[in-house]
Amino acid sequence: MAAPPLPGALDGVTPLLDHWGYLALAALVFVEDFGVPVPGETVMIAAAVSAGAGRMNIVAVAVVAFFAAMMGDNLGYAIGRFGGHRLITRYGRYVLLTEARIARAEAFFARHGGKIITVARFIEGLRQVNGIIAGLAEMPWRRFLAFNALGAALWVGTWITLGALAGRHLHTLYPAIQRYGLYLLAAAAVVIAALAARHLRHLRRRRPRRDDAG
């Protein structure tokens, strides 16, 4: 029995994997990891699901994704370290790196240090720029390399495992996704709205304190 098409956005990147295979996986994960807005994570998850369904080799997917992620972040680190703010200011807009975005990321990085490198890959937006920010902050390369390797291993391992499990049970999961997909999206929207409302309430409570202090 042929495997059903992948659900949602994963099906949109399937032609890339069908045509280019592991090269598409390596290229997209690599360029996403130094700031280019491409669906690297989505392609990796799709490759993992495809591997679970028997279309690709799961070990090869994991190895390619890990080294592509490492190389991408290290290129980002080199851009930040040797290009500095001048290069980012001049060309950052082409990869969605505005000065405001960089400033927020640097402030976040300064507060949390090396540990953020480990979890950055799981945070959309920070995943694409964490290497650049580490370079701009002049984090020692060996320290960055260690945290980056740990983060890449956790990120790849998590999505490869979940994707492979989903791929093995795709015939069972796909009908359920088709049937309940709208309900899942609605639930996600409710959760996001609740979190946004909570964040706004938190900001409103803090604002009077700042005014009084001034």
Side-chain angles (χ1 to χ4, degrees), residues 24-148:
L25 171 65
L28 291 175
V29 171
F30 172 71
V31 298
E32 185 192 43
D33 272 28
F34 64 87
V36 180
V38 298
E41 184 178 70
T42 302
V43 168
M44 182 182 68
I45 296 171
V49 175
S50 295
R55 300 172 182 170
M56 301 179 76
N57 182 282
I58 189 65
V59 175
V61 169
V63 170
V64 169
F66 174 79
F67 282 104
M70 286 288 293
M71 292 172 64
D73 262 1
N74 274 274
L75 178 57
Y77 177 89
I79 291 171
R81 185 67 181 264
F82 302 110
H85 284 275
R86 182 180 300 178
L87 184 64
I88 300 302
T89 300
R90 185 171 182 179
Y91 297 107
R93 64 183 181 276
Y94 297 113
V95 291
L96 305 181
L97 291 179
T98 63
E99 291 186 31
R101 187 180 182 188
I102 289 294
R104 288 195 299 270
E106 281 190 292
F108 189 67
F109 186 89
R111 288 196 302 272
H112 298 283
K115 64 183 180 181
I116 197 59
I117 298 295
T118 304
V119 300
R121 294 184 182 277
F122 294 92
I123 304 173
E124 186 65 30
L126 192 57
R127 177 174 67 253
Q128 291 85 349
V129 299
N130 77 93
I132 295 175
I133 301 304
L136 288 172
E138 298 186 356
M139 183 180 191
W141 178 73
R142 290 184 179 180
R143 187 165 182 257
F144 169 76
L145 185 64
F147 282 113
N148 189 38

